[in-house]
Amino acid sequence: MARSSRRISEPSEDGPKRRKILEIAARVICDKGYEGTSMQDIAEAAGLTKAGLYHHIRGKEYLLLEIMHYGMDVFEEQVLNQVVAIENPLERLKACMDKNILLVTHGWSKEVIVILHEHGTLRGEARAQINARKKRYVRFLETSFAEAIRAKLIRPVNPKVAAFSFLGMVLWIYKWFQTDGAVTEAQLAKEMQNILFGGLEKGLRRRAR
Amino acid sequence: MARSSRRISEPSEDGPKRRKILEIAARVICDKGYEGTSMQDIAEAAGLTKAGLYHHIRGKEYLLLEIMHYGMDVFEEQVLNQVVAIENPLERLKACMDKNILLVTHGWSKEVIVILHEHGTLRGEARAQINARKKRYVRFLETSFAEAIRAKLIRPVNPKVAAFSFLGMVLWIYKWFQTDGAVTEAQLAKEMQNILFGGLEKGLRRRAR
């Protein structure tokens, strides 16, 4: 196979195996710190030779970027692409919260979230790439809130503050939620939807549709 | 002075100067990483000799813990202690959000927040100390929401999810808010209070007081 003779640079090329390695790399980096992590450490944790690892990951200098792109790929696949076509902006936002909460509690390892949202180590072009992908989500939320307000589906609020309130509620979950805790996953999504949208829908005198 | 002959271990002993050094240390750690930061780096950034620095900070192994305790000291002083005696639980929660938002946008350097909320490096007793202080705040919020529900000041919601929704909204602010941005600080607090409490207050048929 031609693949074995070169480094992989595109996310789509070796799918599930590459994803698993990135999940493992995220765990090692969260444990030992980025500076303290070598490609050898990751190879060992993944049960690969160093050469085998380089077959999947271009090199240590790309590792954080690749983990972040992987996180954003999964997010777009499982959240954004699932809801973007829902016509009613309020239903779109509710479905989006539902799917994003599920992703936070289930879809990613905690370490991928930590690297995606807490690692400030990226610089320059790499940082710009990830920020552009994150901003796309913020704009999607902001636009959906603005649309829901125009359609009188929710009370008028500042769409930007509403978008970041949504994000803060949903993304902070990884910091406290325990699957064995007092709140179940089903309750969590239902309660957060109720707290945010239940409140925004109340007090409306008329609906546009 | 007796002080110059020993290391300082209590937060109250040399007040403002110590705080300033901890703010500087937080900045250096966020820039270079904890592993990559030496006491010499911090001394230089603070304009002190290494001996001068040890007069204020016990040692590198305590640095993260001391920055976190400093962050929690400021938080308790400026937020929790200011609102804990407010009798009406809804007013207490609103005032708390107001003061916590002000602290996030103004009171701490971003780096202190990052270390307080993102640094997972603490282990054992140190970790337990900081977690206990954070949990006190979560319990305070949870209890206040439960009280507000019992008093029929807000709709019934899960107090734990409400507490973490509050926290997520408020603490996520440091990740996106820019003082020169489209949303002013005054708007931010007002809008978030409206989004969370405006919604929770709506749809109530009667008030207990």
Side-chain angles (χ1 to χ4, degrees):
Chain A
M1 275 185 359
R3 245 166 57 167
S4 59
S5 64
R6 59 176 177 78
R7 292 180 188 175
I8 302 298
S9 58
E10 290 307 310
S12 55
E13 299 226 348
D14 56 358
K17 183 138 195 205
R18 187 169 178 279
R19 292 188 165 202
K20 201 174 160 212
I21 294 167
L22 288 170
E23 291 270 359
I24 290 167
R27 249 164 258 151
V28 177
I29 289 172
C30 283
D31 193 41
K32 302 172 77 110
Y34 177 72
E35 297 302 332
T37 298
S38 68
M39 287 295 271
Q40 185 59 45
D41 295 331
I42 294 166
E44 273 168 29
L48 292 169
T49 61
K50 217 165 142 183
L53 177 63
Y54 276 106
H55 175 75
H56 297 279
I57 310 287
R58 277 184 290 178
K60 197 193 154 187
E61 62 273 37
Y62 296 101
L63 207 48
L64 290 173
L65 178 63
E66 298 199 20
I67 294 168
M68 289 187 198
H69 272 307
Y70 155 70
M72 291 306 298
D73 289 344
V74 176
F75 162 74
E76 288 179 4
E77 237 171 70
Q78 294 188 18
V79 182
L80 204 50
N81 298 349
Q82 301 289 323
V83 303
V84 76
I86 298 173
E87 210 181 321
N88 179 314
L90 182 58
E91 294 312 316
R92 194 190 307 142
L93 284 164
K94 285 181 185 175
C96 185
M97 181 176 259
D98 208 41
K99 289 192 188 297
N100 202 345
I101 288 176
L102 206 69
L103 182 64
V104 172
T105 56
H106 249 105
W108 282 323
S109 68
K110 182 171 171 173
E111 292 82 0
V112 170
I113 313 185
V114 167
I115 289 178
L116 194 51
H117 293 295
E118 300 187 0
H119 239 288
T121 317
L122 290 187
R123 298 271 181 270
E125 171 58 21
R127 190 190 189 91
Q129 274 179 32
I130 296 300
N131 280 351
R133 295 188 78 174
K134 288 183 179 175
K135 269 183 192 158
R136 199 186 143 209
Y137 189 34
V138 176
R139 266 199 308 273
F140 162 81
L141 292 173
E142 219 177 309
T143 309
S144 299
F145 274 109
E147 238 184 283
I149 293 163
R150 275 198 307 275
K152 298 200 165 50
L153 295 167
I154 60 171
R155 291 186 287 132
V157 289
N158 182 307
K160 185 173 180 155
V161 180
F164 280 109
S165 296
F166 177 116
L167 277 178
M169 287 170 73
V170 168
L171 295 176
W172 204 256
I173 290 172
Y174 76 88
K175 293 195 180 276
W176 64 273
F177 186 72
Q178 294 168 308
T179 37
D180 57 348
V183 180
T184 67
E185 275 173 61
Q187 267 181 310
L188 181 62
K190 206 166 144 270
E191 281 287 332
M192 281 209 172
Q193 285 187 350
N194 177 24
I195 287 168
L196 185 59
F197 300 109
L200 292 175
E201 286 177 282
K202 301 284 176 191
L204 277 175
R205 280 162 204 281
R206 58 204 165 91
R207 300 274 171 100
R209 40 184 138 171
Chain B
M1 277 185 354
R3 247 164 58 168
S4 60
S5 64
R6 60 179 175 77
R7 293 182 187 173
I8 302 298
S9 57
E10 291 305 311
S12 55
E13 298 228 349
D14 56 0
K17 182 137 195 204
R18 187 169 178 278
R19 290 188 166 201
K20 201 174 161 213
I21 294 167
L22 288 170
E23 292 269 359
I24 289 167
R27 252 165 255 152
V28 178
I29 289 172
C30 283
D31 193 42
K32 302 173 77 112
Y34 177 71
E35 297 303 333
T37 299
S38 68
M39 287 296 270
Q40 184 60 44
D41 296 329
I42 294 166
E44 273 167 31
L48 291 170
T49 61
K50 216 164 143 185
L53 177 62
Y54 276 108
H55 175 74
H56 297 279
I57 311 287
R58 277 184 291 179
K60 196 192 155 188
E61 63 273 36
Y62 295 101
L63 208 48
L64 290 173
L65 178 63
E66 298 199 20
I67 294 168
M68 290 187 197
H69 272 308
Y70 156 68
M72 291 306 298
D73 288 345
V74 175
F75 162 75
E76 288 179 4
E77 237 171 70
Q78 293 187 18
V79 182
L80 203 51
N81 298 349
Q82 301 289 323
V83 303
V84 76
I86 299 174
E87 209 179 324
N88 179 312
L90 182 58
E91 295 311 317
R92 192 190 308 142
L93 284 164
K94 286 182 184 174
C96 186
M97 180 176 260
D98 208 42
K99 289 190 187 300
N100 203 345
I101 289 177
L102 205 68
L103 183 64
V104 173
T105 56
H106 250 104
W108 282 322
S109 69
K110 183 170 171 173
E111 292 82 0
V112 169
I113 313 185
V114 167
I115 290 178
L116 194 50
H117 293 295
E118 301 186 0
H119 240 289
T121 317
L122 291 186
R123 298 270 181 270
E125 169 59 22
R127 190 189 190 93
Q129 273 179 33
I130 296 300
N131 280 351
R133 294 188 77 175
K134 289 184 178 175
K135 270 185 189 154
R136 199 188 143 209
Y137 189 35
V138 176
R139 265 199 308 274
F140 163 79
L141 291 173
E142 217 177 312
T143 309
S144 298
F145 274 109
E147 236 183 284
I149 294 163
R150 274 199 307 277
K152 298 200 165 48
L153 296 168
I154 60 171
R155 291 185 288 131
V157 289
N158 182 307
K160 184 173 181 154
V161 180
F164 279 109
S165 296
F166 176 116
L167 276 178
M169 288 171 72
V170 168
L171 296 177
W172 204 256
I173 290 172
Y174 76 88
K175 295 197 180 274
W176 64 274
F177 185 72
Q178 294 167 309
T179 37
D180 57 347
V183 180
T184 67
E185 274 174 62
Q187 267 181 310
L188 181 63
K190 206 168 144 269
E191 281 287 331
M192 282 210 170
Q193 284 187 349
N194 177 24
I195 287 168
L196 186 59
F197 299 110
L200 291 175
E201 286 177 281
K202 300 284 174 189
L204 277 176
R205 279 161 204 285
R206 58 202 165 89
R207 300 275 171 97
R209 41 184 137 169

